[in-house]
Amino acid sequence: MKKPFSILIVGGGTAGWMAANLMAHKWGDRKVSITLLESDAIGTIGVGEGSTPYLKGFFKTLGIAESEWMPACNATYKCGIRFPHWSTVPGYESYYHPFFSPLDREIGQVFFNNASLRRSGLDAPANPTDFFHAPFLSSNAYAPLPEQPLPFELDYGYHFDAGLLGRFLRDRAKSAGVRHIVDTISSVERKGETIEAVTAEDTGRHPADFFVDCSGFRALLLGSAPGYQFRPFHETLFNNAAVTVQIPRDDHAPLLSETISEGLSSGWMWRIPLQNRTGCGYVYSDRFLSADGAESELRKTLALPDSAQVNHLRMKVGRVEEHWQGNCLGVGLSQGFIEPLEATALMLVQFTIEHFLEAFSPGRPEVDHASREKVFNQRINRLFDGVLDYVAGHYKLNSRDDTPYWRAAREEIVISDRLRALIDCWDKNSDVDHMLDQAGEELVYSRASWYSLLAGMGRFPKNLRRADTGLQQESEEVRRFCTGNLNRFRSHQAQLDQLSLARQEAEPA
Ligand SMILES: Cc1cc2nc3c(=O)[nH]c(=O)nc-3n(C[C@H](O)[C@H](O)[C@H](O)COP(=O)(O)OP(=O)(O)OC[C@H]3O[C@@H](n4cnc5c(N)ncnc54)[C@H](O)[C@@H]3O)c2cc1C
């Protein structure tokens, strides 16, 4: 398939600049002209500060070293996510969803075995927090980077300042030849499925061969398509609003390398530690809590001074049916959003752009445009729906009874047949591994992630038989092993300082 000659990206949020960079990198022979148009009157969403390990691949593709971008974006490392107050099961009031590494292979097996034994009714310790390196590293303020090289890399994600990352990526894209226009689009000119041009208030008409809609929840271009369909997820995910705040970093507290996603009365609150501040946000459902109520709960939970500035946001949760339609590709919030519980949005952004670019790789069998679009859209939808299942699982499996929100989140949400079957299989102590194997990539998340969620929430029989002390001893050994390995890793702060130093040294005097 022929690549387009001129591309107009509408929107300069993280999605727009990620698209600009990846496209310029792939088609950087300058035969393709890439322009990004954004509005300074409208602005970006200003959140989205945690990632999955997938983002590592983005920087690798572009050849951007951590020492180049992390200090510029006040970024920190992320070993996983801690989930306090989602479960009331004794011993499971908090659990950890770790990013895994080959270092966990054997001890992870102990966790899988114990979880299986506990499902069968034996009192085996099975909280994932105790079985992987990630929770030990992050709670002890280590970076997921060893002092001495290991024969493999650990999986990890990042935390970063979304505004600074946007600026960093903008400068990078511009130096790779992307043209940048600041103006506000007032109309979209279409001929049926094809977008001919957009018209902006000051700079007039902008025609292009291909358009990338990164205009955020507005979905300026995709939304103007004939037959535009948006599939809302509100029956599965109740949360539709957030209130956020940034608090200065406590210099005396250790810099943790984890996101904390803590259950509150009608939703949950993230804490994302950056080098200079902690970003926090309460994600809630306005069916159960007013904006004022959410703000006052956030203020109380964080003991905020009255002067602290908070920001209220609405979330449009769901996805489009067609991410690629005619000569337009939706990327970012315009294509859909699953609430931020597992920080997956930028992974979906990256995946969408990468697979779009792949469709133009030389040597791919020639198929007609409609079939290519269809296959592409099915693939992206599968990814969205797989993530949706995993996120929905958190709500379905919660065991809180203290507020109507948590009861409804467990009892009223509509989940997919696939998720229901998986939970049934787990509850009935059937062969969950076989089911996960069979589902393969459809479930998006790995066996270890599903086990962490199901076991971490304490989803086990209530009456357990006593286990022999060997199991307890074995988990103690795992704990000693992980703790003993800590000194093989770099302190989080020292690693970040080293990156800053490397950046300063690389900068021209
Ligand atoms: C509460 C919350 C928490 C989140 N947390 C995470 C997280 O932890 N991890 C994660 O990966 N993601 C997270 N996300 C999602 C993440 O913020 C977005 O995926 C990411 O910021 C990309 O947004 P975007 O670029 O699609 O849209 P935006 O940032 O909204 O950018 C839209 C762009 O479109 C432009 N635009 C709009 N209309 C016009 C117009 N008429 N003319 C010209 N330009 C226009 C604007 O100027 C702007 O540049 C979160 C989202 C929310 C709501």
Side-chain angles (χ1 to χ4, degrees), residues 217-440:
F217 285 134
R218 283 178 176 77
L220 205 62
L221 309 186
L222 281 184
S224 72
Y228 167 75
Q229 284 179 325
F230 183 81
R231 200 187 129 202
F233 292 156
H234 61 274
E235 292 186 331
T236 305
L237 301 175
F238 292 164
N239 295 338
N240 56 4
V243 50
T244 67
V245 68
Q246 298 177 356
I247 49 181
R249 177 173 166 197
D250 173 359
D251 287 331
H252 301 294
L255 183 60
L256 305 185
S257 44
E258 65 186 25
T259 299
I260 299 177
S261 296
E262 175 185 353
L264 297 186
S265 78
S266 300
W268 60 276
M269 179 185 71
W270 77 74
R271 288 178 209 241
I272 292 187
L274 304 189
Q275 293 190 31
N276 58 331
R277 63 164 164 88
T278 302
C280 302
Y282 184 3
V283 178
Y284 64 96
S285 161
D286 70 359
R287 209 181 109 195
F288 296 88
L289 190 65
S290 66
D292 286 349
E295 180 176 331
S296 70
E297 192 177 343
L298 180 83
R299 286 184 178 279
K300 194 167 160 214
T301 308
L302 294 170
L304 295 177
D306 289 346
S307 58
Q309 293 268 332
V310 301
N311 186 25
H312 287 270
L313 294 167
R314 302 291 305 172
M315 304 189 308
K316 183 173 151 196
V317 176
R319 65 158 171 80
V320 296
E321 288 295 344
E322 294 185 307
H323 308 262
W324 180 359
Q325 206 213 36
N327 66 338
C328 179
L329 175 74
V331 179
L333 298 174
S334 66
Q335 68 178 141
F337 181 53
I338 296 169
E339 65 138 278
L341 187 58
E342 286 282 343
T344 44
L346 296 183
M347 176 179 86
L348 293 162
V349 163
Q350 188 183 335
F351 189 88
T352 302
I353 309 162
E354 286 170 353
H355 283 79
F356 173 74
L357 292 171
E358 208 182 282
F360 296 89
S361 296
R364 287 183 69 92
E366 275 301 321
V367 289
D368 65 273
H369 185 72
S371 316
R372 181 147 295 165
E373 241 177 74
K374 192 170 161 202
V375 171
F376 176 88
N377 288 326
Q378 283 169 345
R379 197 164 180 192
I380 304 294
N381 285 339
R382 270 205 305 275
L383 184 67
F384 263 86
D385 295 349
V387 174
L388 172 65
D389 273 349
Y390 192 70
V391 171
H394 295 69
Y395 294 97
K396 188 71 194 163
L397 297 168
N398 96 80
S399 48
R400 286 180 59 157
D401 251 328
D402 53 328
T403 63
Y405 170 88
W406 288 105
R407 283 193 291 277
R410 181 172 58 249
E411 288 158 16
E412 288 176 25
I413 68 165
V414 177
I415 58 170
S416 69
D417 292 345
R418 186 172 60 186
L419 177 58
R420 186 172 307 103
L422 182 66
I423 296 174
D424 275 358
C425 181
W426 176 273
D427 288 347
K428 289 183 181 139
N429 196 23
S430 305
D431 192 349
V432 93
D433 291 343
H434 177 68
M435 188 172 235
L436 289 169
D437 277 352
Q438 276 204 322

Side-chain angles (χ1 to χ4, degrees), residues 72-106:
C73 302
N74 282 327
T76 61
Y77 290 95
K78 172 176 173 185
C79 296
I81 310 178
R82 194 176 296 275
F83 290 91
H85 304 151
W86 286 73
S87 166
T88 54
V89 177
Y92 295 81
E93 295 90 345
S94 174
Y95 80 94
Y96 199 97
H97 178 195
F99 298 142
F100 308 95
S101 69
L103 208 56
D104 292 322
R105 210 167 275 146
E106 281 178 30

